[in-house]
Amino acid sequence: MRALQPVIDQIEASVLGSDVLHADDTPIRVLAPERARGIGKGVKQGRIWVYVCDQRPWAGVAPPGGVYRYAPSWNAQHVQDHLRDARGILQADAYKGYSKLYEPGADANPRFREAACFAHWRRDFHDVWVSQKSEIAHEALERIGQLYDIEREITGKPADIRRAVRQELSKPKLGALQTWAETQLTRIPGKGDLAKAFRCGLGRWHAFSLFLDDGRVAIDNNAAERAVRPICLGKKNWLFAGSEAGAETLARAMTLIESAKMNGLDPQAYITDLLNRIHDHKINRIAELLPWNWAPLTVPQALAA
């Protein structure tokens, strides 16, 4: 995998250079160094982050891709390091480690504007509906669902069209949802799960409203949640990484695999071809090997190689 680092570096530069990013993370178990040497039983918990650029929902021109990074802990500093050169809009969950990215910098402007995820908020109400059959939770689901009905009609449309439709159709519904949610909070027990769900949204209302004013912003963070799912599924089978170096190799491999999939490639065929070509490929032509540029060698090209 180390031989393919120049390709991975350029994928990372492209993805993290996007002005709209999705982010998510998941825990990963890693064999502690002493256990790897056969003198202990420790398995510690690290973290895999994923950052996704996917402009297809708003007909953007940047190629889709995902960047995976391993970190030995959930410390906020890791996010600061991953995104130290990135700017724009960050769509993510409410993890506190992102908060410094939204604070004004030396130029009085934040590095990122925060966009929230309606799918995550909707899930909170769904859990209450399933467990308690709360009619209030059901109405919250219905109201959020109306926003999704509008989104389905504008997926793939240019950002300016998406914004115009949202201003006309979504903005009144979101305003009504806010007023209704604030009213419900005065009528329900303040310590229950339903109240917690309402506060989750109302406390970040600026982030939940950003999609109205910028057609590039998605209504949810599903792009990152889809990208992190292979890690969540995989770790049920391989259980843990054998070392931190192994976890870092996993992150690099996932950057190649998932970026290939996002560009319609067979990851196995793509990576096999890269490994066959990389040692003889000129470093100033690495861009030819990126998933959105790659093409398999023709027979004459293969024979010449």
Side-chain angles (χ1 to χ4, degrees):
M1 193 58 62
R2 191 173 299 277
L4 300 182
Q5 192 61 47
V7 179
I8 296 169
D9 289 342
Q10 289 206 23
I11 293 174
E12 291 184 351
S14 176
V15 171
L16 298 180
S18 173
D19 50 9
V20 181
L21 283 174
H22 296 265
D24 201 1
D25 66 274
T26 187
I28 175 176
R29 300 173 73 213
V30 180
L31 204 63
E34 60 273 16
R35 173 57 176 162
R37 296 194 299 269
I39 57 175
K41 299 181 179 180
V43 177
K44 63 180 183 178
Q45 182 168 281
R47 214 84 186 176
I48 294 283
W49 265 276
V50 61
Y51 304 99
V52 174
C53 167
D54 190 354
Q55 299 186 358
R56 292 172 293 182
W58 49 274
V61 298
V67 170
Y68 293 75
R69 294 283 182 84
Y70 167 73
S73 72
W74 208 23
N75 190 296
Q77 186 58 48
H78 299 304
V79 172
Q80 307 295 319
D81 292 341
H82 298 164
L83 300 177
R84 62 182 178 274
D85 297 321
R87 300 289 187 277
I89 294 169
L90 182 65
Q91 191 143 29
D93 58 25
Y95 167 55
K96 292 182 179 179
Y98 299 126
S99 60
K100 286 189 177 181
L101 300 174
Y102 308 135
E103 296 175 356
D107 59 357
N109 294 314
R111 289 171 54 192
F112 284 98
R113 287 187 292 160
E114 179 186 9
C117 174
F118 273 89
H120 192 97
W121 195 28
R122 183 174 59 178
R123 202 171 299 134
D124 291 340
F125 289 114
H126 180 265
D127 290 344
V128 175
W129 164 246
V130 170
S131 62
Q132 303 175 22
K133 300 303 178 186
S134 163
E135 289 301 324
I136 295 176
H138 187 266
E139 183 171 350
L141 292 172
E142 290 291 322
R143 287 174 177 267
I144 295 173
Q146 292 173 10
L147 297 173
Y148 272 88
D149 290 340
I150 298 169
E151 289 300 306
R152 277 190 285 272
E153 298 300 319
I154 58 176
T155 297
K157 303 290 186 182
D160 58 341
I161 294 177
R162 285 158 61 92
R163 182 186 184 279
V165 172
R166 288 167 172 173
Q167 287 289 311
E168 178 185 358
L169 302 179
S170 303
K171 189 172 184 177
K173 293 183 182 297
L174 190 63
L177 172 57
Q178 181 183 22
T179 301
W180 175 79
E182 290 171 341
T183 300
Q184 302 315 306
L185 264 182
T186 67
R187 298 175 176 175
I188 61 178
K191 295 184 178 180
D193 290 338
L194 185 57
K196 181 180 178 181
F198 278 121
R199 286 194 296 268
C200 175
L202 292 172
R204 301 173 65 214
W205 200 254
H206 66 288
F208 279 99
S209 304
L210 184 60
F211 82 109
L212 296 177
D213 298 317
D214 195 321
R216 299 172 301 168
V217 178
I219 194 172
D220 56 38
N221 195 35
N222 284 354
E225 292 194 6
R226 285 192 298 269
V228 84
R229 192 172 297 136
I231 300 289
C232 298
L233 294 175
K235 63 189 179 184
K236 293 180 180 179
N237 297 315
W238 39 258
L239 301 181
F240 56 82
S243 65
E244 290 197 341
E248 290 168 356
T249 298
L250 169 66
R252 290 194 292 270
M254 290 301 297
T255 295
L256 290 170
I257 292 168
E258 293 303 312
S259 295
K261 288 165 61 177
M262 291 177 72
N263 285 273
L265 304 181
D266 174 352
Q268 183 175 355
Y270 171 63
I271 294 175
T272 298
D273 184 75
L274 291 188
L275 290 170
N276 287 334
R277 294 165 63 177
I278 191 68
H279 293 292
D280 297 319
H281 201 83
K282 293 183 179 180
I283 192 68
N284 61 354
R285 293 172 54 190
I286 288 295
E288 296 175 356
L289 302 182
L290 300 181
W292 44 89
N293 295 330
W294 175 83
L297 291 176
T298 64
V299 172
Q301 287 173 327
L303 290 175

